[in-house]
Amino acid sequence: QVQLVESGGGLVQAGGSLRLSCAPSGRIFSINTMGWYRQAPGKQRELVASITSSGITSITNYADSVKGRFTISGDNAKNTVFLQMNSLKPEDTAVYYCNVASSIWPYHYWGQGTQVTVSS
């Protein structure tokens, strides 16, 4: 089964930047949406950003808490998705998960998660 491989997490000071990458181990067909979620200790997993592409048009969606600081982008040809995170805050500390939603089984793919820690 195709797996998603994430990279780019780490430790950064408040105000710094990180770029997360997510690539599948194989081809995923009929992709609807690619996105990033995060889960902080003791909290539920939440959507950070998503991108839906159709031809040359892409629609992005962001959580209010990251608007203006994070940018999601994707490479449709390679089924990869990126998350550029700027002006990071301690409250951005979480495990970040890549997600790909497809219209065919198994419908959802998840990465193993990558830790992002922002120190104050």
Side-chain angles (χ1 to χ4, degrees), residues 7 18-23 34-36 49-51 62 70-76 78-85 98:
S7 61
L18 285 173
R19 178 176 169 88
L20 304 183
S21 300
C22 174
M34 298 187 291
W36 289 93
S50 66
I51 182 167
Y62 296 94
F70 291 10
T71 302
I72 189 171
S73 60
D75 183 333
N76 290 339
K78 298 181 180 179
N79 293 165
T80 55
V81 61
F82 308 95
L83 186 67
Q84 178 66 43
M85 306 186 292
C98 175

Side-chain angles (χ1 to χ4, degrees), residues 23-73:
S25 60
R27 186 61 187 260
I28 299 175
F29 297 94
S30 301
I31 292 176
N32 293 329
T33 302
M34 298 187 291
W36 289 93
Y37 289 72
R38 68 185 180 187
Q39 188 167 17
K43 295 187 177 181
Q44 290 188 333
R45 189 173 297 189
E46 63 174 354
L47 175 67
V48 176
S50 66
I51 182 167
T52 302
S53 298
S54 177
I56 61 172
T57 302
S58 296
I59 299 174
T60 56
N61 180 50
Y62 296 94
D64 288 342
S65 59
V66 306
K67 283 182 180 177
R69 300 188 298 121
F70 291 10
T71 302
I72 189 171
S73 60

Side-chain angles (χ1 to χ4, degrees), residues 105-119:
W105 189 88
Y107 304 113
H108 281 279
Y109 299 82
W110 289 95
Q112 79 285 357
T114 185
Q115 177 70 47
V116 171
T117 303
V118 184
S119 63

